[in-house]
Amino acid sequence: MQTDPICKMQVDENTAQYKSEYNGKTYYFCAPGCKKAFDSEPEKYTGSRPVGTDEKKPWWKFW
């Protein structure tokens, strides 16, 4: 069993209909919506974001 990186559901990798490859690793999804979300921003769900590019708001967007 593998964990869907979007919704955290358990997915059987032997029967999964939805999967994607990213950085040499296969990710499995429970539904097409989860796969679509992953494919649009894989670094958001894999933790492979470059250093210094976190999602914190710039100081001027707090007002």
Side-chain angles (χ1 to χ4, degrees):
M1 297 296 277
Q2 298 290 322
T3 303
D4 182 323
I6 306 301
C7 69
K8 309 301 183 210
M9 286 185 66
Q10 292 296 304
V11 180
D12 184 346
E13 65 268 17
N14 298 315
T15 59
Q17 292 181 345
Y18 310 103
K19 47 189 159 184
S20 292
E21 293 281 329
Y22 181 71
N23 282 344
K25 184 176 177 185
T26 304
Y27 294 88
Y28 300 90
F29 308 95
C30 67
C34 287
K35 180 181 179 346
K36 183 178 179 180
F38 180 87
D39 289 344
S40 68
E41 300 182 90
E43 64 283 344
K44 179 178 178 179
Y45 301 102
T46 61
S48 61
R49 199 178 288 279
V51 174
T53 59
D54 59 1
E55 294 186 21
K56 293 180 183 172
K57 289 182 181 179
W59 63 268
W60 64 87
K61 291 193 177 190
F62 284 105
W63 293 281

